[in-house]
């Protein structure tokens, strides 16, 4: 009877992974337990085949879940319509509650039938036995057996807790349950006395900003967190996850962040291979509709690096909602997991981000200054210009306030606090992070990210002459135009390197540098162009084109 109840309340099982002994040697991969390999041992993987009762019950419950999601998103309009029609009176609400209660009882009965279908299936009974055993005792053997199954991630046991890193509180304070530290924006009206009257005046605007951010704003900024989109992408995500597990020997893990959110991760270890780059770990930060199953992790994987992918809060197996604070909390526990559980030193960690993932990547760079490097692909400096691009001009004040108070993705400000190597990849046909049209390459906010970084690190070089010539170089829409501008100013790379190395040897590596202070205008132009070319690489593609492995390079450093 207890097993039947476990089947009723158990998670949905999607897939059963199988190992081919001929593909992997016993010395490199531990032998799978006999209980797991008794049946279908020659198959690499199989979709779980539910019995007819479970299959049809699952379909009904999935349909009910979709209808509930649609009802949730349309509820404000529905309530307004019902109110206008007079259907919200007590005489109408009571019969409706009876119908709702009857429907819930029917769905509960369907769930019980699904449980009976699972109970009659030996594959599911075997799975639920392993899952319960793992929850009771998270031994290596139990986790190894559980890794053979792909199921609803909410039931996956926690593998790493944010408080496990015992040395954190002594070394750098560590996060509290309220979250890690973020850079806070300056007040919109500086110098204004914060009196009770001023607070009362601001209250309506603050309430409006909060409502906009937590309804429309968050879903526009992170469409991947919308349940209906995830439901539509489920087959693709399952296929991508199977590829990572089967072909790359990926290991899935659940991390518990300081805010209570559970973060879904996938780790591919290349340290045992002959490729030297396998000793470095690339932590991948996905875009606003990206998932590690089908996202930018493929680029460093093809390049031979060890890779740790993770999903934003509210994406696929991760819980929560993707607000900046939750994003930073998630990134913090991912980095801690890489250091304290996977055994990588910060000097061997590279953070690679695509698009909106630049926020968490720059936060990690700011908060963990010892990491090896940061690579930002198709990213931007600040969210406000991009938000204003897609909203009506009459909403300018509301949009700016909402972003600054609730969705402040201040990438450039965070990146300028990192002292290590940085590489920016600009898409020359980017249609997302341009503020006008894709053909207008100067409206690409990656340009502003580069300029702000160079102006912070080399303020004397990026004076009027240097800034002007870098802007000219950024206007080039092809490699031929870039080379033409570069050769026009006769940039002597050896001279530039000697100047920078001499300054570093005399003054140390910490930015900002005062190099170029006593230099001619021509020398500053050469240095500015040299540095711009080292910090930014162009990739002739649109925003969502996967970055080829040959374009994934470590940033330049002296």
């Amino acid at each position: 009877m207890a097993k039947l109840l476990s089947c009723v309340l158990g998670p949905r099982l999607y897939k059963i992974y199988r190992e081919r002994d001929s593909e992997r040697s016993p010395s490199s991969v531990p032998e799978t337990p006999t209980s797991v390999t008794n049946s279908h041992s020659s198959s690499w993987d199989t979709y779980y085949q539910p019995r007819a009762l479970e299959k049809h019950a699952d379909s009904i419950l999935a349909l009910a879940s979709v209808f509930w999601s649609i009802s949730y998103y349309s509820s404000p309009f529905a309530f307004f319509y019902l109110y206008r029609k007079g259907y919200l009176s007590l005489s109408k609400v009571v019969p409706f509650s009876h119908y709702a209660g009857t429907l819930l009882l029917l769905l509960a009965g369907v769930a019980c039938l699904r449980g009976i279908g699972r109970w009659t299936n030996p594959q599911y009974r075997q799975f639920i036995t392993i899952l319960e055993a793992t929850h009771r005792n998270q031994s290596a053997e139990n986790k190894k057996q559980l890794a053979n199954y792909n199921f609803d991630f909410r039931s996956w046991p926690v593998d790493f807790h944010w408080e496990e890193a015992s040395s954190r509180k002594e070394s750098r304070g560590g996060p509290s349950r309220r979250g890690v530290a973020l850079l806070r924006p300056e007040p919109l009206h500086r110098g204004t006395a914060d009196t009770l009257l001023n607070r009362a005046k601001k209250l309506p605007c603050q309430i409006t900003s909060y409502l906009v951010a937590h309804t429309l704003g968050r879903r526009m900024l992170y469409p991947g967190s919308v349940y209906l989109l995830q439901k539509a992408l489920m087959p693709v995500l399952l296929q991508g996850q199977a590829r990572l597990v089967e072909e790359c020997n990926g290991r899935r893990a659940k991390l518990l962040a300081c805010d209570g959110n559970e973060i879904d991760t996938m780790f591919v270890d290349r340290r045992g291979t002959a490729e030297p780059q396998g000793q470095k770990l690339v932590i991948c930060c996905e875009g606003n509709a990206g998932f590690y199953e089908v996202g930018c992790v493929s680029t460093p994987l093809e390049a031979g690096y060890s890779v740790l992918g993770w999903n934003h809060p509210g994406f696929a197996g991760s819980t929560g909602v993707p607000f900046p604070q939750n994003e930073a909390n998630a990134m913090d526990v991912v980095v801690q997991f890489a250091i304290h559980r996977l055994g990588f030193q910060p000097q061997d960690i590279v953070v690679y981000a695509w698009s909106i993932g630049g926020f968490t990547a720059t936060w990690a760079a700011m908060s963990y200054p010892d990491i090896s490097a940061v690579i930002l692909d198709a990213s931007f400096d600040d969210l406000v210009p991009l938000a204003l691009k897609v909203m009506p001009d009459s909403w300018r004040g509301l949009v700016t306030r909402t972003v600054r108070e609730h969705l402040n993705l201040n990438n450039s400000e965070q990146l300028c606090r990192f002292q290590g190597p940085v590489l920016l990849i600009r898409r020359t046909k980017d249609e997302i992070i341009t503020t006008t049209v894709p053909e207008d390459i100067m409206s690409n906010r990656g340009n502003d990210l580069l300029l702000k970084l160079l102006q912070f690190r080399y303020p004397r070089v990026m004076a009027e002459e240097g800034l002007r010539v870098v802007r000219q170089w950024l206007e080039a829409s092809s490699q031929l135009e870039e080379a033409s501008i570069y050769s026009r100013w006769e940039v002597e790379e050896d001279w530039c390197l000697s100047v920078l190395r001499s300054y570093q040897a005399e003054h140390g590596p910490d930015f900002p540098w005062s190099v170029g202070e006593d230099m001619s205008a021509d020398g500053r132009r050469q240095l500015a162009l040299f540095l711009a070319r080292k910090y930014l690489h162009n990739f002739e593609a649109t925003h969502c084109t996967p970055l080829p492995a040959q374009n994934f390079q470590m940033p330049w450093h002296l």
Side-chain angles (χ1 to χ4, degrees):
M1 196 64 186
K3 187 65 66 180
L4 176 59
L5 182 61
S6 298
C7 291
V8 171
L9 301 177
R12 185 174 181 182
L13 179 59
Y14 299 114
K15 203 166 189 176
I16 304 174
Y17 301 120
R18 302 297 180 187
E19 216 174 29
R20 287 186 304 197
D21 295 336
S22 60
E23 290 288 332
R24 301 181 187 179
S25 62
S27 60
S28 61
V29 179
E31 186 178 355
T32 308
T34 307
S35 61
V36 178
T37 57
N38 280 339
S39 58
H40 310 290
S41 59
S42 62
S43 174
W44 181 238
D45 72 287
T46 60
Y47 278 103
Y48 167 65
Q49 299 296 330
R51 299 286 174 87
L53 186 59
E54 179 186 356
K55 181 179 179 181
H56 295 311
D58 250 334
S59 299
I60 294 172
L61 293 174
L63 187 62
S65 177
V66 171
F67 277 129
W68 169 254
S69 182
I70 295 173
S71 302
Y72 173 78
Y73 290 122
S74 60
S75 58
F77 305 101
F79 275 112
F80 179 74
Y81 175 81
L82 292 173
Y83 175 77
R84 291 293 301 272
K85 293 293 184 179
Y87 292 140
L88 294 183
S89 62
L90 187 62
S91 60
K92 300 289 180 63
V93 170
V94 171
F96 176 77
S97 64
H98 292 164
Y99 298 143
T102 303
L103 181 61
L104 288 175
L105 287 175
L106 289 174
L107 291 176
V110 172
C112 291
L113 291 176
R114 181 181 64 176
I116 294 173
R118 291 171 172 177
W119 185 62
T120 60
N121 191 325
Q123 284 186 317
Y124 193 90
R125 288 206 312 273
Q126 183 184 67
F127 155 71
I128 203 67
T129 300
I130 294 172
L131 179 61
E132 289 176 338
T134 307
H135 276 288
R136 287 193 301 269
N137 179 16
Q138 293 193 35
S139 64
E141 185 70 16
N142 287 339
K143 284 187 175 182
K144 187 200 311 177
Q145 294 187 53
L146 191 64
N148 290 301
Y149 296 92
N150 187 353
F151 55 96
D152 190 336
F153 201 62
R154 287 173 293 186
S155 297
W156 190 284
V158 173
D159 296 287
F160 183 82
H161 193 282
W162 68 280
E163 290 181 321
E164 283 189 30
S166 58
S167 62
R168 302 187 64 196
K169 294 183 180 179
E170 292 79 6
S171 61
R172 58 179 204 89
S176 67
R177 292 190 181 275
R178 291 179 296 177
V180 297
L182 291 180
L183 297 180
R184 299 298 176 185
E186 293 184 358
L188 294 178
H189 305 287
R190 299 184 64 183
T192 305
D194 191 20
T195 63
L196 185 60
L197 180 60
N198 285 330
R199 290 184 182 182
K201 289 179 179 178
K202 295 176 184 177
L203 188 59
C205 294
Q206 292 173 343
I207 293 174
T208 304
S209 295
Y210 179 88
L211 293 175
V212 170
H214 286 75
T215 54
L216 180 66
R218 190 259 295 176
R219 290 171 177 83
M220 287 184 64
L221 188 59
Y222 289 95
S225 64
V226 176
Y227 172 78
L228 292 177
L229 178 62
Q230 295 183 33
K231 195 74 176 176
L233 291 175
M234 181 62 74
V236 180
L237 298 181
L238 291 176
Q239 186 178 7
Q241 197 168 98
R243 182 185 66 84
L244 290 171
V245 172
E246 299 161 4
E247 299 178 14
C248 306
N249 196 23
R251 302 204 305 265
R252 200 178 186 188
K254 177 186 283 189
L255 318 182
L256 186 65
C258 60
D259 52 14
N261 287 336
E262 298 170 347
I263 307 303
D264 184 5
T265 68
M266 180 69 73
F267 171 56
V268 178
D269 195 353
R270 295 280 178 79
R271 285 174 289 189
T273 63
E275 299 177 351
Q277 59 266 38
Q279 301 303 313
K280 278 194 173 294
L281 175 69
V282 179
I283 299 179
C284 298
C285 305
E286 300 291 346
N288 65 353
F291 304 81
Y292 72 69
E293 292 89 342
V294 291
C296 63
V297 298
S298 60
T299 299
L301 274 178
E302 291 176 17
Y305 291 89
S306 296
V307 172
L308 176 59
W310 61 283
N311 281 329
H312 297 284
F315 282 52
S318 296
T319 62
V321 287
F323 281 104
Q325 183 66 67
N326 297 346
E327 288 277 296
N329 295 340
M331 187 65 188
D332 182 69
V333 76
V334 168
V335 176
Q336 288 296 316
F337 176 68
I339 296 172
H340 295 281
R341 179 61 61 84
L342 301 181
F344 287 91
Q345 295 300 315
Q347 297 81 2
D348 295 324
I349 295 176
V350 177
V351 181
Y352 166 51
W354 173 63
S355 190
I356 209 170
F359 173 73
T360 48
T362 54
W363 181 88
M366 173 185 70
S367 304
Y368 294 88
D370 294 332
I371 63 173
S372 176
V374 174
I375 303 173
L376 303 179
D377 178 15
S379 197
F380 53 88
D381 63 321
D382 186 41
L383 182 61
V384 170
L386 298 174
L388 292 173
K389 161 192 168 183
V390 298
M391 302 303 288
D393 288 339
S394 58
W395 290 25
R396 176 177 292 270
L398 175 63
V399 170
T400 303
R401 175 185 290 277
T402 301
V403 170
R404 286 286 175 249
E405 292 184 357
H406 302 283
L407 303 166
N408 191 36
L409 306 186
N410 49 347
N411 297 353
S412 60
E413 189 179 0
Q414 294 183 152
L415 186 62
C416 287
R417 302 203 174 201
F418 177 58
Q419 297 285 326
V422 175
L423 174 63
L424 308 179
I425 300 173
R426 181 180 68 164
R427 310 292 183 104
T428 58
K429 301 175 183 177
D430 201 308
E431 72 281 14
I432 302 298
I433 64 167
T434 49
T435 54
T436 55
V437 293
E439 292 76 21
D440 182 12
I441 198 169
M442 279 308 292
S443 72
N444 188 309
R445 297 304 300 189
N447 301 335
D448 301 86
L449 184 57
L450 172 70
L451 292 174
K452 289 177 181 178
L453 180 63
L454 293 181
Q455 285 176 316
F456 172 79
R457 291 191 168 191
Y458 313 97
R460 302 293 186 271
V461 172
M462 293 299 293
E464 292 183 9
E465 303 88 355
L467 182 61
R468 191 179 303 116
V469 75
V470 170
R471 287 188 182 278
Q472 291 177 8
W473 180 77
L474 288 172
E475 287 180 5
S477 57
S478 66
Q479 292 183 352
L480 187 61
E481 289 183 33
E482 283 182 48
S484 175
I485 295 171
Y486 204 72
S487 61
R488 184 196 310 166
W489 295 105
E490 300 178 346
V491 179
E492 298 180 19
E493 296 197 350
D494 291 338
W495 175 80
C496 293
L497 279 173
S498 66
V499 168
L500 294 172
R501 284 171 177 162
S502 298
Y503 181 91
Q504 185 185 52
E506 184 177 351
H507 298 90
D510 293 342
F511 296 108
W513 287 8
S514 59
V515 63
E517 192 171 17
D518 301 322
M519 192 176 291
S520 66
D522 183 63
R524 285 197 293 269
R525 290 191 192 97
Q526 288 194 49
L527 266 181
L529 276 176
F530 173 80
L531 290 167
R533 200 176 190 185
K534 294 296 184 183
Y535 275 87
L536 185 141
H537 293 176
N538 280 324
F539 176 43
E540 294 187 13
T542 57
H543 188 76
C544 295
T545 303
L547 185 71
Q550 61 266 26
N551 290 73
F552 187 82
Q553 304 170 6
M554 289 296 107
W556 168 81
H557 66 281
L558 286 174

